[in-house]
Amino acid sequence: MTPQRAALATLVAMVALGVVWGSLSLLGLTAQPAPTAPTAPSMGPTREPRAEVEAARILAEWDQQRSSAWAHGDAAGLASLYVDGSSAAVADVSMLRRWQRRGVHVRGLRTQVLRLEVLERGRDRWVLDVTDRVIGGRAVQGARTQVLPTDAATRRRIDLRRRDGRWLVAEVSPLR
């Protein structure tokens, strides 16, 4: 890994961890710490954040909202994180409802961004190349709790759109 990619990975991990750690206390967060990487160089107080840092912040906030919707079984709240008509929304809401039909709630769902590159950036649209994986979560059914396994890293193209001041996912497609 190049020093630049290592620094980016560190920044992404720090931003994601800070957002999640400062929100709900998520089971499994300390049990599976992110790998350590070299410390990122300081960008100084007067410099504008790099696009990847801003994108990582947006994704971390979005992921926190998604995790909350999953934890509460809130299909409407989950759908509201996506642009109307998004096939990614249909897939995510369908998956949530399948878990609900079995009487299972998914708590502490957390995604770890391993790699992020901004492909396009505009005022109201960003297109990202993201490699991530689910590293946290537990299935809760009554008094029973099962820690969900960490999934394999997956590379995706994520198309974000800003609507009424909120970043929403328009589409997600696999990349190789």
Side-chain angles (χ1 to χ4, degrees):
M1 179 181 291
T2 67
Q4 293 85 1
R5 289 192 187 266
L8 176 59
T10 301
L11 287 173
V12 168
M14 288 176 6
V15 169
L17 182 60
V19 170
V20 173
W21 195 263
S23 66
L24 302 172
S25 175
L26 301 177
L27 183 66
L29 180 63
T30 56
Q32 295 178 313
T36 58
T39 304
S42 171
M43 293 193 303
T46 60
R47 291 183 61 189
E48 188 174 325
R50 292 184 43 193
E52 288 82 5
V53 174
E54 180 69 6
R57 184 192 61 76
I58 290 167
L59 282 179
E61 288 176 3
W62 186 92
D63 185 54
Q64 179 184 3
Q65 294 171 25
R66 180 176 181 258
S67 178
S68 179
W70 269 84
H72 293 96
D74 183 3
L78 183 60
S80 76
L81 298 174
Y82 295 88
V83 170
D84 289 339
S86 167
S87 61
V90 171
D92 208 10
V93 170
S94 294
M95 189 174 4
L96 172 63
R97 288 187 173 142
R98 283 194 301 275
W99 284 84
Q100 287 178 315
R101 282 193 295 274
R102 294 186 307 217
V104 178
H105 294 277
V106 178
R107 309 245 193 252
L109 190 61
R110 181 164 177 259
T111 302
Q112 179 185 35
V113 175
L114 302 171
R115 181 183 166 282
L116 183 149
E117 179 182 348
V118 175
L119 301 176
E120 296 177 37
R121 180 181 181 184
R123 187 174 157 264
D124 294 321
R125 180 176 186 235
W126 287 39
V127 179
L128 310 174
D129 176 345
V130 177
T131 302
D132 61 14
R133 65 183 180 164
V134 175
I135 63 166
R138 61 195 189 285
V140 180
Q141 186 175 33
R144 291 183 48 206
T145 298
Q146 174 68 45
V147 174
L148 299 174
T150 297
D151 79 18
T154 306
R155 187 173 173 209
R156 312 171 209 279
R157 176 185 165 112
I158 301 175
D159 186 343
L160 296 166
R161 306 290 173 97
R162 186 172 16 211
R163 301 284 192 264
D164 298 323
R166 292 181 61 212
W167 285 102
L168 307 176
V169 171
E171 287 303 325
V172 178
S173 54
L175 289 174
R176 290 185 172 213

